Each structure stands twice: as structure tokens, then as C-alpha cells.
Amino acid sequence: QVQLVESGGGLVQAGGSLRLSCAASGSFRSINDMGWYRQAPGKARELVATITSGGSTNYADSVKGRFTISRDNAKNTVYLEMNSLKPGDTAVYYCNAEFVIWGPSRYWGQGTQVTVSS
């Protein structure tokens, strides 16, 4: 069984910073891309940032220049450094990864709440 466990969410004032972590565990051959998505109340889940196994990154326009995604392949962990946070960043943040088991399989974490107060 494969599992993704997020941590690092919380309450922060506008302009502040948070760092999210997502650790993968279980039985798999490798991990392809990893990423972060978020879902605000009443809104659809949206992409925040992704990173390939080789380190290529992709960001939503709304977070470019403020958020940085990175990963430690040795630890099977992906990070999201969030700076200059805005109230509009308030959402549940979900980790997502494509695992290679018998074939590619995509999994989600349980989510971590990020709340930015004005």
C-alpha cells in the first residue's frame, strides 16, 4: 500500500511564510512527478505546482515568484515553500504523486489546511 502524508499547514498572517512537506511511503518502484494542489471552500481543486523526478517545475500563475516546490528523491518527499502569503491562498493543500508500482498509479494525500489571515 502506498501512502502520502502531508504536514506543515497552519494559520499565518498575510505576508508570512509556511513550508509544507509530503512524505511518500509504501511499496513502489519509483515516483514520477509529484505536486501540490489546493481547494478553497466552494471552489474546485486547482494545481499549485508540480515537479518531475528530474527536477523540472511548473507553477500556477497565481503563485509564481512566491511559492517554490522541491523534492528529495532519497527521502521520497516533496516540499512547498510558501512566501508572501495572501488571504486568497487559504485552502486545503493536497499532495499528489504518480507512483510506478506494476504500472503508473496516482495517489492523493489527506490534505493539510492553510489559513492566511488579513
Side-chain angles (χ1 to χ4, degrees), residues 45-75:
R45 191 172 297 188
E46 62 177 5
L47 179 146
V48 176
T50 61
I51 184 167
T52 67
S53 57
S56 296
T57 59
N58 179 55
Y59 295 93
D61 288 343
S62 59
V63 306
K64 283 181 181 177
R66 300 189 297 122
F67 291 10
T68 302
I69 189 171
S70 61
R71 66 190 281 177
D72 185 332
N73 291 329
K75 295 182 178 180

PDB file of all heavy atoms in Angstrom, residues 45-75:
ATOM      1  N   ARG A  45     -10.777  22.010  -6.997  1.00  0.00           N
ATOM      2  CA  ARG A  45      -9.363  21.777  -6.702  1.00  0.00           C
ATOM      3  C   ARG A  45      -8.529  22.290  -7.871  1.00  0.00           C
ATOM      4  O   ARG A  45      -8.848  22.053  -9.038  1.00  0.00           O
ATOM      5  CB  ARG A  45      -9.103  20.296  -6.464  1.00  0.00           C
ATOM      6  CG  ARG A  45      -7.736  19.986  -5.887  1.00  0.00           C
ATOM      7  CD  ARG A  45      -7.618  18.527  -5.501  1.00  0.00           C
ATOM      8  NE  ARG A  45      -8.552  18.165  -4.445  1.00  0.00           N
ATOM      9  CZ  ARG A  45      -8.546  17.000  -3.816  1.00  0.00           C
ATOM     10  NH1 ARG A  45      -7.651  16.079  -4.143  1.00  0.00           N
ATOM     11  NH2 ARG A  45      -9.438  16.734  -2.876  1.00  0.00           N
ATOM     12  N   GLU A  46      -7.423  22.983  -7.553  1.00  0.00           N
ATOM     13  CA  GLU A  46      -6.594  23.559  -8.603  1.00  0.00           C
ATOM     14  C   GLU A  46      -5.125  23.221  -8.385  1.00  0.00           C
ATOM     15  O   GLU A  46      -4.676  23.025  -7.254  1.00  0.00           O
ATOM     16  CB  GLU A  46      -6.752  25.083  -8.638  1.00  0.00           C
ATOM     17  CG  GLU A  46      -6.314  25.800  -7.384  1.00  0.00           C
ATOM     18  CD  GLU A  46      -6.416  27.321  -7.501  1.00  0.00           C
ATOM     19  OE1 GLU A  46      -6.919  27.820  -8.524  1.00  0.00           O
ATOM     20  OE2 GLU A  46      -5.983  28.003  -6.558  1.00  0.00           O
ATOM     21  N   LEU A  47      -4.398  23.189  -9.486  1.00  0.00           N
ATOM     22  CA  LEU A  47      -2.970  22.918  -9.424  1.00  0.00           C
ATOM     23  C   LEU A  47      -2.231  24.110  -8.823  1.00  0.00           C
ATOM     24  O   LEU A  47      -2.536  25.261  -9.147  1.00  0.00           O
ATOM     25  CB  LEU A  47      -2.434  22.635 -10.832  1.00  0.00           C
ATOM     26  CG  LEU A  47      -0.952  22.346 -10.975  1.00  0.00           C
ATOM     27  CD1 LEU A  47      -0.743  21.334 -12.115  1.00  0.00           C
ATOM     28  CD2 LEU A  47      -0.147  23.598 -11.255  1.00  0.00           C
ATOM     29  N   VAL A  48      -1.286  23.816  -7.949  1.00  0.00           N
ATOM     30  CA  VAL A  48      -0.416  24.854  -7.393  1.00  0.00           C
ATOM     31  C   VAL A  48       0.961  24.754  -8.035  1.00  0.00           C
ATOM     32  O   VAL A  48       1.468  25.718  -8.602  1.00  0.00           O
ATOM     33  CB  VAL A  48      -0.299  24.726  -5.872  1.00  0.00           C
ATOM     34  CG1 VAL A  48       0.696  25.744  -5.320  1.00  0.00           C
ATOM     35  CG2 VAL A  48      -1.660  24.898  -5.205  1.00  0.00           C
ATOM     36  N   ALA A  49       1.572  23.577  -7.946  1.00  0.00           N
ATOM     37  CA  ALA A  49       2.907  23.381  -8.504  1.00  0.00           C
ATOM     38  C   ALA A  49       3.179  21.898  -8.662  1.00  0.00           C
ATOM     39  O   ALA A  49       2.662  21.081  -7.901  1.00  0.00           O
ATOM     40  CB  ALA A  49       3.970  24.018  -7.609  1.00  0.00           C
ATOM     41  N   THR A  50       3.996  21.572  -9.666  1.00  0.00           N
ATOM     42  CA  THR A  50       4.421  20.186  -9.863  1.00  0.00           C
ATOM     43  C   THR A  50       5.920  20.144 -10.106  1.00  0.00           C
ATOM     44  O   THR A  50       6.527  21.140 -10.512  1.00  0.00           O
ATOM     45  CB  THR A  50       3.701  19.532 -11.060  1.00  0.00           C
ATOM     46  OG1 THR A  50       4.013  20.265 -12.251  1.00  0.00           O
ATOM     47  CG2 THR A  50       2.194  19.490 -10.849  1.00  0.00           C
ATOM     48  N   ILE A  51       6.493  18.963  -9.874  1.00  0.00           N
ATOM     49  CA  ILE A  51       7.916  18.769 -10.099  1.00  0.00           C
ATOM     50  C   ILE A  51       8.135  17.347 -10.597  1.00  0.00           C
ATOM     51  O   ILE A  51       7.563  16.392 -10.057  1.00  0.00           O
ATOM     52  CB  ILE A  51       8.732  19.056  -8.819  1.00  0.00           C
ATOM     53  CG1 ILE A  51      10.231  18.955  -9.092  1.00  0.00           C
ATOM     54  CG2 ILE A  51       8.306  18.160  -7.655  1.00  0.00           C
ATOM     55  CD1 ILE A  51      11.091  19.533  -7.969  1.00  0.00           C
ATOM     56  N   THR A  52       8.943  17.217 -11.650  1.00  0.00           N
ATOM     57  CA  THR A  52       9.225  15.895 -12.192  1.00  0.00           C
ATOM     58  C   THR A  52      10.339  15.229 -11.387  1.00  0.00           C
ATOM     59  O   THR A  52      10.990  15.861 -10.555  1.00  0.00           O
ATOM     60  CB  THR A  52       9.651  15.999 -13.662  1.00  0.00           C
ATOM     61  OG1 THR A  52      10.924  16.673 -13.723  1.00  0.00           O
ATOM     62  CG2 THR A  52       8.631  16.773 -14.482  1.00  0.00           C
ATOM     63  N   SER A  53      10.569  13.974 -11.680  1.00  0.00           N
ATOM     64  CA  SER A  53      11.648  13.261 -10.996  1.00  0.00           C
ATOM     65  C   SER A  53      13.001  13.869 -11.322  1.00  0.00           C
ATOM     66  O   SER A  53      13.940  13.770 -10.534  1.00  0.00           O
ATOM     67  CB  SER A  53      11.631  11.780 -11.381  1.00  0.00           C
ATOM     68  OG  SER A  53      11.726  11.635 -12.792  1.00  0.00           O
ATOM     69  N   GLY A  54      13.088  14.533 -12.460  1.00  0.00           N
ATOM     70  CA  GLY A  54      14.339  15.191 -12.841  1.00  0.00           C
ATOM     71  C   GLY A  54      14.479  16.610 -12.329  1.00  0.00           C
ATOM     72  O   GLY A  54      15.512  17.242 -12.517  1.00  0.00           O
ATOM     73  N   GLY A  55      13.428  17.120 -11.699  1.00  0.00           N
ATOM     74  CA  GLY A  55      13.510  18.443 -11.085  1.00  0.00           C
ATOM     75  C   GLY A  55      12.876  19.574 -11.890  1.00  0.00           C
ATOM     76  O   GLY A  55      12.942  20.734 -11.463  1.00  0.00           O
ATOM     77  N   SER A  56      12.258  19.279 -13.005  1.00  0.00           N
ATOM     78  CA  SER A  56      11.572  20.331 -13.755  1.00  0.00           C
ATOM     79  C   SER A  56      10.296  20.723 -13.026  1.00  0.00           C
ATOM     80  O   SER A  56       9.558  19.855 -12.552  1.00  0.00           O
ATOM     81  CB  SER A  56      11.242  19.849 -15.169  1.00  0.00           C
ATOM     82  OG  SER A  56      12.418  19.585 -15.894  1.00  0.00           O
ATOM     83  N   THR A  57      10.048  22.023 -12.960  1.00  0.00           N
ATOM     84  CA  THR A  57       8.926  22.528 -12.175  1.00  0.00           C
ATOM     85  C   THR A  57       7.912  23.268 -13.035  1.00  0.00           C
ATOM     86  O   THR A  57       8.234  23.768 -14.118  1.00  0.00           O
ATOM     87  CB  THR A  57       9.405  23.462 -11.062  1.00  0.00           C
ATOM     88  OG1 THR A  57      10.125  24.563 -11.654  1.00  0.00           O
ATOM     89  CG2 THR A  57      10.312  22.731 -10.090  1.00  0.00           C
ATOM     90  N   ASN A  58       6.706  23.344 -12.505  1.00  0.00           N
ATOM     91  CA  ASN A  58       5.615  24.064 -13.161  1.00  0.00           C
ATOM     92  C   ASN A  58       4.770  24.692 -12.062  1.00  0.00           C
ATOM     93  O   ASN A  58       4.505  24.058 -11.032  1.00  0.00           O
ATOM     94  CB  ASN A  58       4.756  23.100 -13.981  1.00  0.00           C
ATOM     95  CG  ASN A  58       3.594  23.803 -14.655  1.00  0.00           C
ATOM     96  OD1 ASN A  58       3.781  24.769 -15.374  1.00  0.00           O
ATOM     97  ND2 ASN A  58       2.379  23.314 -14.413  1.00  0.00           N
ATOM     98  N   TYR A  59       4.372  25.959 -12.259  1.00  0.00           N
ATOM     99  CA  TYR A  59       3.630  26.680 -11.235  1.00  0.00           C
ATOM    100  C   TYR A  59       2.366  27.307 -11.811  1.00  0.00           C
ATOM    101  O   TYR A  59       2.334  27.734 -12.973  1.00  0.00           O
ATOM    102  CB  TYR A  59       4.474  27.812 -10.637  1.00  0.00           C
ATOM    103  CG  TYR A  59       5.686  27.361  -9.874  1.00  0.00           C
ATOM    104  CD1 TYR A  59       6.924  27.250 -10.500  1.00  0.00           C
ATOM    105  CD2 TYR A  59       5.593  27.051  -8.513  1.00  0.00           C
ATOM    106  CE1 TYR A  59       8.044  26.832  -9.799  1.00  0.00           C
ATOM    107  CE2 TYR A  59       6.712  26.637  -7.807  1.00  0.00           C
ATOM    108  CZ  TYR A  59       7.930  26.533  -8.452  1.00  0.00           C
ATOM    109  OH  TYR A  59       9.036  26.122  -7.751  1.00  0.00           O
ATOM    110  N   ALA A  60       1.349  27.417 -10.974  1.00  0.00           N
ATOM    111  CA  ALA A  60       0.195  28.223 -11.325  1.00  0.00           C
ATOM    112  C   ALA A  60       0.630  29.689 -11.358  1.00  0.00           C
ATOM    113  O   ALA A  60       1.484  30.111 -10.568  1.00  0.00           O
ATOM    114  CB  ALA A  60      -0.910  28.027 -10.293  1.00  0.00           C
ATOM    115  N   ASP A  61       0.038  30.457 -12.258  1.00  0.00           N
ATOM    116  CA  ASP A  61       0.412  31.869 -12.374  1.00  0.00           C
ATOM    117  C   ASP A  61       0.223  32.604 -11.054  1.00  0.00           C
ATOM    118  O   ASP A  61       0.978  33.520 -10.731  1.00  0.00           O
ATOM    119  CB  ASP A  61      -0.421  32.537 -13.468  1.00  0.00           C
ATOM    120  CG  ASP A  61      -0.015  32.102 -14.861  1.00  0.00           C
ATOM    121  OD1 ASP A  61       1.092  31.542 -15.016  1.00  0.00           O
ATOM    122  OD2 ASP A  61      -0.806  32.308 -15.803  1.00  0.00           O
ATOM    123  N   SER A  62      -0.777  32.198 -10.291  1.00  0.00           N
ATOM    124  CA  SER A  62      -1.110  32.917  -9.056  1.00  0.00           C
ATOM    125  C   SER A  62      -0.051  32.766  -7.973  1.00  0.00           C
ATOM    126  O   SER A  62      -0.043  33.548  -7.017  1.00  0.00           O
ATOM    127  CB  SER A  62      -2.459  32.430  -8.526  1.00  0.00           C
ATOM    128  OG  SER A  62      -2.423  31.036  -8.260  1.00  0.00           O
ATOM    129  N   VAL A  63       0.841  31.789  -8.088  1.00  0.00           N
ATOM    130  CA  VAL A  63       1.843  31.569  -7.048  1.00  0.00           C
ATOM    131  C   VAL A  63       3.270  31.772  -7.546  1.00  0.00           C
ATOM    132  O   VAL A  63       4.212  31.699  -6.756  1.00  0.00           O
ATOM    133  CB  VAL A  63       1.712  30.161  -6.429  1.00  0.00           C
ATOM    134  CG1 VAL A  63       0.288  29.918  -5.942  1.00  0.00           C
ATOM    135  CG2 VAL A  63       2.148  29.083  -7.386  1.00  0.00           C
ATOM    136  N   LYS A  64       3.444  32.033  -8.827  1.00  0.00           N
ATOM    137  CA  LYS A  64       4.787  32.228  -9.368  1.00  0.00           C
ATOM    138  C   LYS A  64       5.500  33.374  -8.657  1.00  0.00           C
ATOM    139  O   LYS A  64       4.930  34.436  -8.453  1.00  0.00           O
ATOM    140  CB  LYS A  64       4.715  32.508 -10.870  1.00  0.00           C
ATOM    141  CG  LYS A  64       4.479  31.284 -11.732  1.00  0.00           C
ATOM    142  CD  LYS A  64       4.444  31.650 -13.219  1.00  0.00           C
ATOM    143  CE  LYS A  64       4.187  30.415 -14.068  1.00  0.00           C
ATOM    144  NZ  LYS A  64       4.066  30.754 -15.512  1.00  0.00           N
ATOM    145  N   GLY A  65       6.751  33.115  -8.295  1.00  0.00           N
ATOM    146  CA  GLY A  65       7.530  34.128  -7.600  1.00  0.00           C
ATOM    147  C   GLY A  65       7.330  34.135  -6.098  1.00  0.00           C
ATOM    148  O   GLY A  65       8.084  34.798  -5.377  1.00  0.00           O
ATOM    149  N   ARG A  66       6.311  33.413  -5.610  1.00  0.00           N
ATOM    150  CA  ARG A  66       6.057  33.377  -4.162  1.00  0.00           C
ATOM    151  C   ARG A  66       6.248  31.970  -3.585  1.00  0.00           C
ATOM    152  O   ARG A  66       6.683  31.831  -2.440  1.00  0.00           O
ATOM    153  CB  ARG A  66       4.625  33.844  -3.865  1.00  0.00           C
ATOM    154  CG  ARG A  66       4.330  35.261  -4.321  1.00  0.00           C
ATOM    155  CD  ARG A  66       2.974  35.731  -3.797  1.00  0.00           C
ATOM    156  NE  ARG A  66       1.866  34.935  -4.329  1.00  0.00           N
ATOM    157  CZ  ARG A  66       1.000  34.269  -3.548  1.00  0.00           C
ATOM    158  NH1 ARG A  66       1.107  34.304  -2.231  1.00  0.00           N
ATOM    159  NH2 ARG A  66       0.001  33.584  -4.100  1.00  0.00           N
ATOM    160  N   PHE A  67       5.903  30.956  -4.354  1.00  0.00           N
ATOM    161  CA  PHE A  67       5.996  29.562  -3.898  1.00  0.00           C
ATOM    162  C   PHE A  67       7.132  28.863  -4.626  1.00  0.00           C
ATOM    163  O   PHE A  67       7.409  29.144  -5.801  1.00  0.00           O
ATOM    164  CB  PHE A  67       4.701  28.814  -4.192  1.00  0.00           C
ATOM    165  CG  PHE A  67       3.498  29.235  -3.384  1.00  0.00           C
ATOM    166  CD1 PHE A  67       3.511  30.376  -2.589  1.00  0.00           C
ATOM    167  CD2 PHE A  67       2.333  28.482  -3.416  1.00  0.00           C
ATOM    168  CE1 PHE A  67       2.403  30.753  -1.847  1.00  0.00           C
ATOM    169  CE2 PHE A  67       1.218  28.843  -2.697  1.00  0.00           C
ATOM    170  CZ  PHE A  67       1.254  29.985  -1.919  1.00  0.00           C
ATOM    171  N   THR A  68       7.769  27.927  -3.927  1.00  0.00           N
ATOM    172  CA  THR A  68       8.830  27.111  -4.524  1.00  0.00           C
ATOM    173  C   THR A  68       8.595  25.649  -4.174  1.00  0.00           C
ATOM    174  O   THR A  68       8.467  25.303  -2.992  1.00  0.00           O
ATOM    175  CB  THR A  68      10.212  27.533  -4.023  1.00  0.00           C
ATOM    176  OG1 THR A  68      10.428  28.910  -4.326  1.00  0.00           O
ATOM    177  CG2 THR A  68      11.300  26.697  -4.683  1.00  0.00           C
ATOM    178  N   ILE A  69       8.542  24.806  -5.193  1.00  0.00           N
ATOM    179  CA  ILE A  69       8.400  23.369  -4.988  1.00  0.00           C
ATOM    180  C   ILE A  69       9.766  22.715  -5.137  1.00  0.00           C
ATOM    181  O   ILE A  69      10.576  23.122  -5.987  1.00  0.00           O
ATOM    182  CB  ILE A  69       7.379  22.751  -5.969  1.00  0.00           C
ATOM    183  CG1 ILE A  69       7.074  21.305  -5.592  1.00  0.00           C
ATOM    184  CG2 ILE A  69       7.845  22.869  -7.411  1.00  0.00           C
ATOM    185  CD1 ILE A  69       5.907  20.699  -6.389  1.00  0.00           C
ATOM    186  N   SER A  70      10.032  21.728  -4.312  1.00  0.00           N
ATOM    187  CA  SER A  70      11.283  20.985  -4.392  1.00  0.00           C
ATOM    188  C   SER A  70      11.017  19.555  -3.916  1.00  0.00           C
ATOM    189  O   SER A  70       9.963  19.278  -3.340  1.00  0.00           O
ATOM    190  CB  SER A  70      12.368  21.644  -3.540  1.00  0.00           C
ATOM    191  OG  SER A  70      11.988  21.677  -2.178  1.00  0.00           O
ATOM    192  N   ARG A  71      11.975  18.686  -4.172  1.00  0.00           N
ATOM    193  CA  ARG A  71      11.803  17.306  -3.726  1.00  0.00           C
ATOM    194  C   ARG A  71      13.147  16.693  -3.364  1.00  0.00           C
ATOM    195  O   ARG A  71      14.193  17.079  -3.900  1.00  0.00           O
ATOM    196  CB  ARG A  71      11.090  16.450  -4.784  1.00  0.00           C
ATOM    197  CG  ARG A  71      11.847  16.234  -6.060  1.00  0.00           C
ATOM    198  CD  ARG A  71      10.970  15.599  -7.131  1.00  0.00           C
ATOM    199  NE  ARG A  71      10.811  14.157  -6.961  1.00  0.00           N
ATOM    200  CZ  ARG A  71      10.051  13.393  -7.731  1.00  0.00           C
ATOM    201  NH1 ARG A  71       9.340  13.936  -8.707  1.00  0.00           N
ATOM    202  NH2 ARG A  71       9.971  12.083  -7.523  1.00  0.00           N
ATOM    203  N   ASP A  72      13.100  15.763  -2.436  1.00  0.00           N
ATOM    204  CA  ASP A  72      14.266  14.995  -2.025  1.00  0.00           C
ATOM    205  C   ASP A  72      13.974  13.555  -2.421  1.00  0.00           C
ATOM    206  O   ASP A  72      13.200  12.867  -1.740  1.00  0.00           O
ATOM    207  CB  ASP A  72      14.480  15.140  -0.520  1.00  0.00           C
ATOM    208  CG  ASP A  72      15.747  14.454  -0.039  1.00  0.00           C
ATOM    209  OD1 ASP A  72      16.186  13.469  -0.674  1.00  0.00           O
ATOM    210  OD2 ASP A  72      16.294  14.885   0.984  1.00  0.00           O
ATOM    211  N   ASN A  73      14.550  13.114  -3.520  1.00  0.00           N
ATOM    212  CA  ASN A  73      14.246  11.771  -4.027  1.00  0.00           C
ATOM    213  C   ASN A  73      14.720  10.681  -3.068  1.00  0.00           C
ATOM    214  O   ASN A  73      14.113   9.610  -2.998  1.00  0.00           O
ATOM    215  CB  ASN A  73      14.867  11.583  -5.404  1.00  0.00           C
ATOM    216  CG  ASN A  73      14.187  12.428  -6.464  1.00  0.00           C
ATOM    217  OD1 ASN A  73      12.998  12.704  -6.383  1.00  0.00           O
ATOM    218  ND2 ASN A  73      14.945  12.844  -7.463  1.00  0.00           N
ATOM    219  N   ALA A  74      15.788  10.943  -2.338  1.00  0.00           N
ATOM    220  CA  ALA A  74      16.284   9.945  -1.389  1.00  0.00           C
ATOM    221  C   ALA A  74      15.297   9.727  -0.240  1.00  0.00           C
ATOM    222  O   ALA A  74      15.227   8.636   0.328  1.00  0.00           O
ATOM    223  CB  ALA A  74      17.636  10.370  -0.841  1.00  0.00           C
ATOM    224  N   LYS A  75      14.540  10.771   0.089  1.00  0.00           N
ATOM    225  CA  LYS A  75      13.568  10.693   1.179  1.00  0.00           C
ATOM    226  C   LYS A  75      12.142  10.522   0.665  1.00  0.00           C
ATOM    227  O   LYS A  75      11.201  10.469   1.461  1.00  0.00           O
ATOM    228  CB  LYS A  75      13.639  11.950   2.051  1.00  0.00           C
ATOM    229  CG  LYS A  75      14.956  12.123   2.780  1.00  0.00           C
ATOM    230  CD  LYS A  75      14.937  13.366   3.655  1.00  0.00           C
ATOM    231  CE  LYS A  75      16.237  13.516   4.411  1.00  0.00           C
ATOM    232  NZ  LYS A  75      16.238  14.736   5.267  1.00  0.00           N
TER     233      LYS A  75
END
